Amino acid sequence: MKYLDEFRDAALAEHISASITREATSSSGYRLMEFCGGHTHAISRYGITDLLPATIRLIHGPGCPVCVLPVGRINQAVRLVQQRDVILCTYADVLRVPCSGQMSLMRARSEGADVRMIYSTKNALQVARENPERQVVFFAIGFETTTPPTAVAVKQAHASGMENFSILCNHVLTPAAMQAILSVRTGKMLDGFVGPAHVSTVIGSKPYERFAAEHSKAVVIAGFEPLDVMQAILMLVRQINQGRATVENEFSRAVTREGNLKAQKLVAEVFELRDAFEWRGLGSISESALKLRPEFSRFDAELKFGVDYVPVRDHKACECAAVLCGEKRPQECRIFGTVCTPENPVGSCMVSSEGACAAYYSYGRFREELT
Amino acid sequence: MPKPRPLYSRRGRVEILHGSGGRAMAQLVAELFKVAFDNAWLEQGNDAAVLPQVSGRLVMSCDSHVVSPLFFEGGDIGCLSVHGTINDVSMMGAQPLYLTASFILEEGFLFADLERIVASMASAARDAGVSIVAGDTKVVEKGKGDGVFITTTGIGVLREGIVLSGDLAQPGDRILLSGTIGDHGMAVLSRRENLEFDAPIFSDTAPLHGLVANILDCGARVRVLRDPTRGGLATTLNEIAQQSGVGMLLDESAIPVKKPVEAACEFLGLDPLYVANEGKLVAVCAPEDAVHLLEVMRAHPLAREAAAIGEVTEDSRRFVQMATRLGGRRIVDWLAGEPLPRIC
C-alpha cells in the first residue's frame, strides 16, 4: 500500500539493523524510552527488538492515554452515567479499563447504563442531536492529538446553542509527562527519547528542545511505522556516540518545528491549563492537563453534573505505576499474565493495545520463557 | 372459497400475530417460506421433517446470525446463515444435506426485506444442493430485536475413513489457507460505519463443501480443516494449537490480504488476522503433501489465492508465533475483547 509499504520494507529494515549493530557498541549501552504507546505497539507487532543488538534497551514510556488515566477518573465516568442518566460516549479502549468495586464502563453498560462506543467526536455530537431529550457526555481523553477534535466539537456545540452536550475533560499534555519522567530515577538514567509521532504533528518539535538543552537527553521524533522507529534508534545511537543531545526529526514528512498552528490556536481558544492533574504512575503533575475555558464551562460535565474527582489508590498488586515510568518491565509485575491478562485486566496497561503490558503479553511473551 | 389477501405486500410489515401460531403465521409460512424453500419435506407440513435413511455417520452443527447491517457488499444475513452452517458441517469433512432455519423477527420489520433475505437463503441452499427442511418463526415486540436474527442447523453425512479434528495437528505439519483474509468483516464494518473506500470491499461469504470435497479426494493426509470466522485467522489457529497441544510458526509475508482490506484495517486500527471470514478455510496437512494439496486448492474457484502460511511446531506453551515481514518475531495471540461485534 502506498505510503505504508515503503515504511515496512524488510530489506531496508535489515540495512538499518546492520547499521545499528555496527554502531551501537558503547559498553554502557543505550537506554532509550519510546514515549508513545503507538511506538510500543509497533515495536511489539513487528518484532523490532529481534533486529536490535543487546546494547539497545528500549524502555516503554507513559504515552498511552488510557494507561495514564487514574482509576478515580474512570470512577467519575461510571458515577456520572449510573447516577445522572446521561448517555456517555467514549472511545473503545476506555470501556474495559477496570475501576473501583470491580466495575468498568463495559460492566456499567451491561447493568443498564447507556454507554456508547464512538469513533470520533463527530459521532458524539450526532448522538446528542439524535437524542435532544437526553444529556450526552463525551468522555474526552488523550494527548495533544485528540484535543483539537474535542475543541471542534465544543465549538460546534457552542455555535449551535446545544444544551444537551458536554465533555468530561481528561486531555493531558505530553511535554509535562516527559518532564515528570525526567525527575524519577529511571528517567534520569535515560540516554534519549524516541519522540512522539502524532502528538508532534500538532505541537511541533520545539517543545522538546528543553529536554535536550536542559537535561542533555537526545530526542528523535519518529513516525509510527517500524522503519521510522528503527531509523530513529539509529539516529539516537549516533547522537549519543557523538556526545550530542539535540532534537532531531525523523518524522519530517509530517512534523515541523512549529507544529500545526491552526490546531494549536483552536485548542487555546477552547481550553486552558489545569493547575494540576493526577496521572496514573506519575502522580499529580502541575500544569499537565487541560480544562475548558470559563466561556465554555457550560460544556464541562464535571461542573454541569457536580461529579467531583475523587482520587483512589490502584489495586495493591498492580504495578502499572512502575511500568508507566519505566521502572519495571511488564513481565516483572507479579500478577502479569497470571491474575492480570487482556481478558481480565487488573491495570489499565493491560487494556489498551498501546499499553506496555498488553503489547508485551499479546506479542512478546514467548521471549521470557525462551531466555 | 376466495383466497385470503396476501399478508405480506411489499410495503407490509411484520406484526406480532405473524408469530402467534394462528392463521396469519400459517399464511406467512405458506406464502413465503414454503414457496421460497420449495421441497418435499417442508411440504409435508408436519411438526418435524422425516428424512430418508443415509449411509454414513451424521454430522450436525448450528449457527446463529445477528449481523448488522443485514445487507452488505457481497451478501446478506440470508446467504450468510446458509453458508455459515454448511461450512461448519463441511469442516468435519461431511457432505451437508439438510438445514433448518429459525427466524426471530422484530415487529415492524419490512416484508420486502424479509422476502429478499429468504430468497437469498433459498438461492444459497439451492446452489449448495442443500434443502431447508424445517423452520420456526417467532416475532418479538418492536425494540426487542434488531430486524431479524436467523439460526440455522445443518446435518451432513460423513463417509467412512474421514477423520478430521482440531486435536490432530502434529509438529512439522504445514498450514494452508484458502485465500485472502478479512474480507467479510471489513465489508460489514465499512457498510456499518458508512466508510467508503476507493475500491469496495466484498464479503467472501461462500459454501466451502465443494472445496472440501476436492481436498479430501486428492489423497493428501489432511488432519484439520477449520473456517476462520469470528475472531479471524489468529483465533482459529490458536484454537487448533490449543486442542492439539502444539505451537505454530507463521510467515507474515505469505498471508494474503487484499489491498482495500489492508487499507481499511489500517484506517480503523484493526489487524486483518483478527477480522472475520465467511468463505475461507485453514487446512493442516502432512508436510510431504502440502505442495500437492496447495495445487488442488488453487484449482478450485474459491481458493485461487490459497497459500502455505506456516508450519506446526513443538511447543508446550502452545504459542502461535509469526515471523514478521520485517524480520522480527511476535506472538499471534487469541483475540482479546470484541472489537467487532455483530459481524456474522
Side-chain angles (χ1 to χ4, degrees):
Chain A
M1 201 187 322
K2 199 157 165 54
Y3 307 124
L4 282 180
D5 290 343
E6 297 91 321
F7 298 99
R8 296 175 182 177
D9 184 87
L12 277 172
E14 202 182 325
H15 181 71
I16 302 174
S17 166
S19 300
I20 296 173
T21 307
R22 197 168 54 240
E23 297 181 35
T25 52
S26 166
S27 57
S28 49
Y30 303 78
R31 297 171 57 83
L32 311 177
M33 173 175 279
E34 86 276 5
F35 181 85
C36 284
H39 286 133
T40 306
H41 185 254
I43 289 163
S44 308
R45 178 171 171 183
Y46 294 96
I48 288 175
T49 37
D50 291 330
L51 302 168
L52 301 174
T55 48
I56 306 279
R57 161 88 198 269
L58 290 174
I59 297 154
H60 311 309
C64 155
V66 173
C67 306
V68 295
L69 209 59
V71 171
R73 291 283 167 193
I74 308 284
N75 285 350
Q76 193 182 19
V78 168
R79 259 196 347 263
L80 179 62
V81 72
Q82 284 190 325
Q83 296 172 4
R84 300 303 170 101
D85 190 34
V86 302
I87 300 175
L88 187 84
C89 296
T90 169
Y91 297 132
D93 274 3
V94 185
L95 283 175
R96 293 171 52 241
V97 179
C99 62
S100 301
Q102 297 191 321
M103 276 304 283
S104 66
L105 284 169
M106 186 83 99
R107 185 158 293 176
R109 182 163 79 178
S110 70
E111 290 178 3
D114 197 342
V115 179
R116 302 189 189 181
M117 188 186 97
I118 52 158
Y119 288 99
S120 73
T121 54
K122 204 173 140 192
N123 298 149
L125 283 177
Q126 187 63 27
V127 172
R129 279 189 209 104
E130 286 167 2
N131 296 275
E133 75 295 351
R134 305 271 314 269
Q135 285 293 327
V136 175
V137 178
F138 171 55
F139 194 38
I141 75 158
F143 289 90
E144 291 87 338
T145 329
T146 51
T147 313
T150 306
V152 171
V154 170
K155 280 191 79 174
Q156 285 179 348
H158 181 67
S160 59
M162 221 178 232
E163 296 291 334
N164 67 329
F165 178 77
S166 57
I167 67 165
L168 202 51
C169 184
N170 291 286
H171 284 301
V172 290
L173 302 173
T174 304
M178 285 176 76
Q179 183 66 46
I181 285 285
L182 288 172
S183 64
V184 301
R185 192 183 58 91
T186 332
K188 288 184 183 135
M189 289 168 66
L190 288 177
D191 295 305
F193 284 102
V194 175
H198 294 170
V199 162
S200 307
T201 63
V202 177
I203 68 170
S205 63
K206 203 169 142 190
Y208 310 111
E209 288 170 2
R210 63 186 157 111
F211 303 120
E214 295 167 23
H215 297 272
S216 305
K217 303 297 180 194
V219 179
V220 176
I221 293 157
F224 281 145
E225 291 303 317
L227 287 188
D228 286 322
V229 180
M230 294 188 66
Q231 180 65 25
I233 291 169
L234 179 60
M235 289 164 77
L236 283 167
V237 165
R238 286 177 179 168
Q239 274 200 46
I240 294 158
N241 283 351
Q242 293 161 10
R244 289 190 294 127
T246 53
V247 176
E248 292 180 314
N249 184 6
E250 184 279 336
F251 199 28
S252 58
R253 63 187 187 278
V255 173
T256 61
R257 181 165 182 268
E258 303 298 332
N260 183 337
L261 296 173
K262 199 173 166 187
Q264 291 170 23
K265 184 166 164 280
L266 194 63
V267 169
E269 272 176 51
V270 174
F271 295 102
E272 62 184 17
L273 284 175
R274 281 182 192 253
D275 292 338
F277 190 84
E278 193 194 344
W279 294 57
R280 192 193 290 252
L282 299 172
S284 181
I285 308 176
S286 62
E287 301 193 335
S288 65
L290 300 173
K291 63 176 180 187
L292 287 163
R293 285 189 174 280
E295 54 268 43
F296 294 101
S297 61
R298 68 191 173 97
F299 298 103
D300 187 335
E302 273 185 76
L303 299 175
K304 189 170 183 173
F305 300 99
V307 279
D308 291 337
Y309 169 65
V310 183
V312 286
R313 293 179 62 178
D314 283 354
H315 189 286
K316 62 181 187 298
C318 171
E319 305 215 62
C320 275
V323 171
L324 283 166
C325 23
E327 284 180 4
K328 282 201 170 169
R329 301 182 198 216
Q331 66 273 34
E332 287 164 356
C333 170
R334 276 176 299 141
I335 56 172
F336 174 83
T338 52
V339 178
C340 184
T341 60
E343 284 72 28
N344 283 301
V346 175
S348 53
C349 299
M350 191 56 104
V351 178
S352 167
S353 65
E354 293 188 357
C357 297
Y360 191 83
Y361 186 89
S362 302
Y363 296 124
R365 69 186 189 279
F366 67 93
R367 288 174 215 288
E368 180 183 4
E369 289 153 89
L370 286 178
T371 49
Chain B
M1 209 171 89
K3 215 176 155 191
R5 185 170 59 88
L7 272 170
Y8 65 99
S9 64
R10 289 201 70 81
R11 277 180 301 174
R13 289 177 185 273
V14 170
E15 293 168 27
I16 286 291
L17 81 169
H18 290 116
S20 61
R23 191 173 288 135
M25 194 180 91
Q27 203 172 352
L28 175 67
V29 170
E31 294 178 17
L32 180 61
F33 296 116
K34 277 189 181 171
V35 173
F37 298 152
D38 184 30
N39 61 67
W41 299 284
L42 206 56
E43 205 51 51
Q44 290 165 0
N46 292 319
D47 277 0
V50 179
L51 304 170
Q53 201 165 3
V54 292
S55 154
R57 293 162 294 164
L58 293 179
V59 172
M60 189 168 174
S61 186
C62 71
D63 205 345
S64 294
H65 298 84
V66 298
V67 64
S68 169
L70 299 170
F71 302 96
F72 42 85
E73 302 292 340
D76 54 62
I77 190 172
C79 61
L80 190 66
S81 70
V82 170
H83 297 153
T85 296
I86 286 181
N87 290 348
D88 284 346
V89 169
S90 303
M91 291 309 121
M92 303 316 300
Q95 169 67 34
L97 299 173
Y98 307 106
L99 288 179
T100 70
S102 169
F103 295 80
I104 295 175
L105 302 168
E106 186 187 7
E107 183 183 16
F109 189 60
L110 274 174
F111 273 127
D113 285 343
L114 181 61
E115 204 171 36
R116 204 173 141 196
I117 290 165
V118 169
S120 167
M121 288 179 81
S123 146
R126 212 166 26 245
D127 290 350
V130 171
S131 297
I132 300 174
V133 297
D136 184 51
T137 312
K138 297 283 188 317
V139 179
V140 293
E141 299 93 322
K142 181 128 188 103
K144 305 280 177 170
D146 191 6
V148 57
F149 300 143
I150 305 177
T151 301
T152 52
T153 299
I155 291 183
V157 64
L158 187 60
R159 64 171 198 255
E160 281 313 306
I162 295 175
V163 184
L164 295 170
S165 178
D167 59 2
L168 295 176
Q170 299 169 20
D173 283 353
R174 295 294 188 270
I175 305 160
L176 309 186
L177 171 68
S178 70
T180 56
I181 57 168
D183 302 53
H184 174 73
M186 295 321 292
V188 171
L189 200 68
S190 52
R191 172 49 68 97
R192 182 153 81 207
E193 303 303 333
N194 275 323
L195 298 173
E196 283 184 21
F197 299 102
D198 286 348
I201 299 168
F202 293 92
S203 166
D204 59 352
T205 182
L208 294 168
H209 61 292
L211 175 61
V212 170
N214 290 5
I215 288 173
L216 296 176
D217 289 344
C218 80
R221 282 160 294 168
V222 182
R223 330 262 199 218
V224 190
L225 290 180
R226 195 158 285 187
D227 56 339
T229 53
R230 258 178 315 169
L233 178 66
T235 303
T236 294
L237 294 178
N238 272 286
E239 284 168 5
I240 298 170
Q242 188 64 33
Q243 271 182 276
S244 295
V246 296
M248 291 182 184
L249 181 60
L250 311 178
D251 174 5
E252 184 174 26
S253 55
I255 300 172
V257 185
K258 286 198 177 81
K259 289 293 174 193
V261 171
E262 193 183 8
C265 283
E266 199 64 45
F267 185 72
L268 293 172
L270 299 170
D271 187 336
L273 287 169
Y274 295 91
V275 180
N277 312 279
E278 290 292 341
K280 298 290 160 22
L281 62 79
V282 168
V284 177
C285 74
E288 306 79 28
D289 300 341
V291 173
H292 175 51
L293 181 57
L294 194 59
E295 277 171 17
V296 169
M297 286 169 71
R298 283 180 176 163
H300 191 279
L302 289 176
R304 295 257 183 263
E305 293 171 272
I309 60 164
E311 64 177 67
V312 178
T313 59
E314 201 172 309
D315 184 351
S316 58
R317 302 159 305 173
R318 305 174 190 198
F319 284 157
V320 176
Q321 297 187 45
M322 181 163 82
T324 70
R325 56 181 138 181
L326 214 68
R329 191 184 273 214
R330 63 172 259 206
I331 284 184
V332 175
D333 210 0
W334 293 83
L335 173 68
E338 175 69 287
L340 300 178
R342 305 209 27 207
I343 215 77
C344 57

